[in-house]
Amino acid sequence: MKNSPKTVWNPERLDARAFAQAAASLEATLPLSTFKRLHAEAALDGVASTEPVQWQAHGEMRDASAGGAPAVWLHLQADTRVPLTCQRCLGPVQTPLAVDRWFRFVADEAAAEAEDDDCEEDLLALEPRPNLLDVLEDELLMELPLVPMHETCPVPVKLHAGDEAGGGVAEGEPQRKNPFAELARLKK
Ligand SMILES: [Zn+2]
């Protein structure tokens, strides 16, 4: 959408009301390293390059259901793939992350806190102006799986480490004498 070429929207300090009133859109492709917290979650050993984060935002004014003033809404979408550590084979697993979320804006953070319990949608404050990249990163971090794992690991999973640990514990375990062997010895 290039309806408003004179206006340059700053995603790091968005005038969300003007953005919605203009029904404006923003889109960008940014390297994963832009998102420091997300980048820190990535398993980068043996990964030649990471995929960028593609995102877009769209503003919209919507009539309030209760007949109040029209509300400021923002649609935020993002797609990327992040290498995470597979919890089975410990290799990198490319994990798709997608964000597709609507936010309603309220005047400020106090209003957002006051209303948050009463409504289902996500709220953001108009002031101070939000950094969409931070909002986006929060959403991407929430999409991270608790236990990243390949559907099928690319290499056979090695069980030797576990076997050795088990053997080690057994050897150091003094009560591991076979009670029946002991009984047989006493009966002699
Ligand atoms: Zn794996």
Side-chain angles (χ1 to χ4, degrees), residues 86 88-89 150 153-154:
C86 170
R88 190 158 47 203
C89 72
H150 292 108
C153 289

Coordinates of all heavy atoms in Angstrom, one line a residue, residues 86 88-89 150 153-154, ligand 1:
C86 N 17.4 -29.4 19.3 CA 16.5 -30.6 19.5 C 16.8 -31.3 20.8 O 18.0 -31.6 21.1 CB 16.8 -31.6 18.3 SG 15.9 -33.1 18.5
R88 N 16.1 -34.2 21.6 CA 16.4 -35.6 21.5 C 17.8 -35.9 21.0 O 18.6 -36.6 21.6 CB 15.4 -36.3 20.6 CG 15.3 -37.8 20.6 CD 14.0 -38.3 20.1 NE 13.6 -37.6 18.9 CZ 12.3 -37.6 18.5 NH1 11.4 -38.2 19.2 NH2 12.0 -37.0 17.4
C89 N 18.2 -35.3 19.9 CA 19.5 -35.5 19.3 C 20.5 -34.4 19.6 O 21.7 -34.5 19.2 CB 19.4 -35.8 17.8 SG 19.0 -34.4 16.8
H150 N 13.1 -32.5 16.5 CA 12.8 -33.0 15.1 C 11.7 -33.9 15.1 O 11.5 -34.7 16.0 CB 14.0 -33.7 14.6 CG 15.3 -32.9 14.3 ND1 16.4 -33.0 15.2 CD2 15.6 -32.0 13.4 CE1 17.3 -32.2 14.7 NE2 16.9 -31.6 13.7
C153 N 14.7 -37.3 13.8 CA 16.1 -36.8 14.0 C 16.9 -37.2 12.8 O 16.8 -38.4 12.3 CB 16.7 -37.3 15.3 SG 15.9 -36.5 16.7
P154 N 17.8 -36.4 12.3 CA 18.6 -36.7 11.1 C 19.7 -37.7 11.3 O 20.2 -38.3 10.4 CB 19.2 -35.3 10.7 CG 19.2 -34.5 12.0 CD 18.0 -35.0 12.8
Ligands
ZN1 ZN 16.7 -34.3 16.7

